[in-house]
C-alpha cells in the first residue's frame, strides 16, 4: 500500500504545529501543555469515543466524494445528496412495514437511490448543456436543502412536536449502539480507553454506523484496485487525454462515479438520522458542517481511501481537542479551525511552489 499521506502533507501538518506554537507563545501560553491537553482530550477516554463519533460521518462523506475526485470530477454536491438521503431514509423508516433490521436496510437503499438520482443530474447537464459539474453540483445543494425543508414544514412535520421535524423513528428501527450497555465488550473498551469510555460509547452515538462506513471503505478499496471502472477512473483522473485515446468511455465513468458517490452520501445521511437524531430535523444535517469538513478531508487525504480515513480522524480529533483546550485554558475552540485552515492552505501551496521551481529552472 502506498503512503497514506504524502510527504508534503506531513510537512504541512508539522509546519502548522510550529506556526500555532509561535502564536500560543506570543499570547502567553505554553504550546506543549496546550497540545498535550488537545491530545489527551481527543484520544483518551470519552474524548476518543467522541472523536470516533464525529469521524464516522465525515469519513463516510469523504469516501463518497473520493469516487468522483479520483476520476478528476469535482463533486461539490455532497451536502445536498447527504441531506436528501437522510430525509428519504427517514421517510422510509417511518413508513415501511416489516422487522426493524429489514426496515433499516430498506431505508438505506431508498436513501441511496434518491441521492444517486440527484447526483446523476450534474453529469447529465454536462453532457447535454456542457455545464461544468463542479458548478452544477454545488448549486444543486440549495434546492436539495430547500426541498427537504419544505417537506418537513408541510407534509412530514410531527404535529405533536414544536420542532420542525418528522415523527421519531421507532426504537426497533434505529441503528443501535455498537456495544450495548453492561456487555462484556463494554468492559473491554473501558479497560483499553479508560473507565468512562464504555458509558460514553453508549451515549455519544457511536453505533453500527461505524460498520457501515467500514463497509464503504472496503467497497472503495475493492473498486479502485480490482474493478475495471476503478482503473479507468485513475487513468481519467491522471490524464483525461490519455483516457480518451485508450478507449475509456469518459461519460460513463463520470456518471457511474457520481452516482455511486451520491448513493454513499445518502446512506451516510440516513445513518446519522437513525443513529443519533432519530428524526429528520430541518437544518439538522446541513447544519453539522460534515459536508464541508469532508471536502477538506478529501483534499488533505489526496483523494485516497486510506488518506481520507487518516485525515478524517485527524480533523475530528482537532475539533474534539479544541473543545478540551477551551475548557482547560479558556482559549477559543476555533483554534482547531485555524489549524485545519493552515494545514489545507499549506498543502495547496506546495504544488504551486513545485510548478514555479520547474518554470524557473
Amino acid at each position: 500500500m502506498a503512503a497514506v499521506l504524502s510527504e508534503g502533507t506531513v510537512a504541512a501538518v508539522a509546519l502548522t504545529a510550529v506556526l500555532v506554537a509561535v502564536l500560543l507563545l506570543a499570547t502567553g501560553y505554553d504550546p506543549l501543555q496546550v497540545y498535550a491537553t488537545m491530545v489527551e482530550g481527543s484520544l483518551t477516554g470519552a474524548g476518543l469515543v467522541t472523536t470516533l463519533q464525529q469521524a464516522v460521518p465525515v469519513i463516510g462523506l469523504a469516501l463518497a466524494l473520493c469516487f468522483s475526485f479520483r476520476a478528476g470530477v469535482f463533486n461539490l454536491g455532497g451536502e445536498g445528496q447527504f441531506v436528501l438521503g437522510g430525509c428519504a431514509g427517514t421517510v422510509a423508516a417511518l413508513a415501511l412495514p416489516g422487522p426493524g433490521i429489514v426496515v433499516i436496510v430498506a431505508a438505506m437503499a431508498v436513501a441511496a437511490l434518491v441521492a444517486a438520482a440527484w447526483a446523476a443530474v450534474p453529469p447529465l447537464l454536462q453532457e447535454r448543456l456542457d455545464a461544468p459539474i463542479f458548478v452544477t453540483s454545488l448549486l444543486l445543494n440549495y434546492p436539495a436543502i430547500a426541498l427537504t425543508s419544505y417537506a418537513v414544514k408541510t407534509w412530514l412535520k410531527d404535529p405533536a412536536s414544536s420542532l420542525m421535524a418528522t415523527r421519531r423513528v421507532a426504537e426497533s428501527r434505529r441503528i443501535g449502539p455498537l456495544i450495548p450497555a453492561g456487555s462484556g465488550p463494554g468492559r473491554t473498551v473501558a479497560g483499553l480507553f479508560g473507565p468512562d469510555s464504555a458509558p460514553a460509547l453508549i451515549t455519544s452515538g457511536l453505533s453500527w454506523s461505524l460498520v457501515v462506513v467500514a463497509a464503504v471503505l472496503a467497497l472503495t478499496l475493492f473498486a479502485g484496485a480490482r474493478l475495471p471502472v476503478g482503473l479507468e477512473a485513475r487513468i481519467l483522473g491522471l490524464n483525461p487525454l490519455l483516457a480518451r485515446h485508450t478507449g475509456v468511455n469518459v461519460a460513463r465513468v463520470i456518471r457511474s462515479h457520481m452516482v455511486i458517490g451520491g448513493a454513499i452520501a445518502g446512506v451516510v445521511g440516513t445513518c446519522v438520522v437513525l443513529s443519533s437524531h432519530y428524526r429528520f430535523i430541518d437544518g439538522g444535517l446541513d447544519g453539522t458542517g460534515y459536508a464541508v469538513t469532508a471536502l477538506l478531508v478529501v483534499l488533505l487525504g489526496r483523494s485516497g481511501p486510506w488518506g481520507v480515513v487518516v485525515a478524517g480522524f485527524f480533523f475530528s480529533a482537532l475539533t474534539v481537542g479544541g473543545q478540551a483546550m477551551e475548557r482547560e485554558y479558556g482559549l477559543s475552540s476555533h483554534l482547531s479551525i485555524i489549524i485545519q485552515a493552515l494545514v489545507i492552505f499549506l498543502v495547496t501551496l506546495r504544488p504551486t511552489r513545485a510548478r514555479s521551481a520547474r518554470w524557473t529552472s
Side-chain angles (χ1 to χ4, degrees):
M1 183 176 63
V4 173
L5 297 177
S6 67
E7 293 181 1
T9 300
V10 174
V13 172
L15 181 55
T16 298
V18 173
L19 293 175
V20 174
V22 172
L23 176 63
L24 290 171
L25 282 172
T27 53
Y29 294 94
D30 184 347
L32 294 180
Q33 291 183 358
V34 172
Y35 285 156
T37 299
M38 293 181 71
V39 170
E40 183 179 358
S42 61
L43 299 181
T44 61
L48 175 60
V49 177
T50 305
T51 298
L52 289 172
Q53 175 206 359
Q54 294 197 16
V56 166
V58 169
I59 292 173
L61 273 174
L63 289 171
L65 297 178
C66 272
F67 270 90
S68 56
F69 273 60
R70 296 193 79 181
V73 181
F74 296 100
N75 175 19
L76 303 183
E79 185 174 29
Q81 297 150 20
F82 174 61
V83 173
L84 270 178
C87 184
T90 303
V91 172
L94 289 169
L96 293 177
I101 183 63
V102 174
V103 172
I104 291 172
V105 173
M108 290 185 183
V110 170
L113 288 173
V114 171
W118 194 260
V121 175
L124 180 63
L125 293 175
Q126 178 171 273
E127 293 170 25
R128 301 295 174 83
L129 303 175
D130 200 26
I133 286 180
F134 76 92
V135 174
T136 54
S137 61
L138 175 63
L139 293 178
L140 281 172
N141 286 330
Y142 300 101
I145 295 170
L147 282 171
T148 57
S149 177
Y150 179 76
V152 168
K153 292 175 180 176
T154 53
W155 312 311
L156 303 177
K157 186 180 183 308
D158 181 6
S161 173
S162 60
L163 289 174
M164 289 298 172
T166 64
R167 292 181 291 111
R168 290 176 68 86
V169 175
E171 189 170 353
S172 63
R173 300 178 175 203
R174 300 173 185 174
I175 298 177
L178 192 61
I179 301 176
S183 67
R187 290 192 292 272
T188 301
V189 170
L192 289 174
F193 302 133
D196 298 329
S197 58
L201 189 62
I202 308 305
T203 60
S204 67
L206 185 62
S207 64
W208 285 95
S209 298
L210 177 64
V211 178
V212 175
V213 172
V216 170
L217 173 62
L219 170 66
T220 306
L221 293 169
F222 179 77
R226 300 294 181 182
L227 297 183
V229 69
L231 175 61
E232 292 174 343
R234 289 202 301 273
I235 295 174
L236 179 60
L238 292 172
N239 192 325
L241 186 60
L242 175 63
R244 289 181 173 87
H245 281 295
T246 53
V248 174
N249 188 329
V250 174
R252 178 180 58 81
V253 172
I254 291 174
R255 282 197 305 269
S256 62
H257 280 69
M258 284 290 294
V259 166
I260 293 172
I264 293 172
V267 169
V268 173
T270 297
C271 285
V272 172
V273 173
L274 297 186
S275 65
S276 57
H277 298 169
Y278 308 131
R279 62 171 74 190
F280 184 83
I281 304 171
D282 183 24
L285 290 183
D286 51 291
T288 58
Y290 290 149
V292 175
T293 305
L295 280 171
L296 300 179
V297 164
V298 172
L299 179 60
L300 186 61
R302 298 289 178 181
S303 302
W306 287 114
V308 159
V309 171
V310 173
F313 184 83
F314 172 65
F315 271 25
S316 299
L318 277 179
T319 301
V320 177
Q323 295 166 356
M325 173 196 63
E326 185 174 42
R327 291 192 300 268
E328 182 73 21
Y329 297 101
L331 285 166
S332 173
S333 59
H334 286 90
L335 181 62
S336 61
I337 300 176
I338 295 174
I339 295 175
Q340 294 175 10
L342 275 173
V343 170
I344 295 300
F345 177 70
L346 293 173
V347 166
T348 54
L349 278 183
R350 188 178 61 87
T352 303
R353 291 198 304 270
R355 284 196 297 269
S356 300
R358 287 199 298 269
W359 279 107
T360 55
S361 61

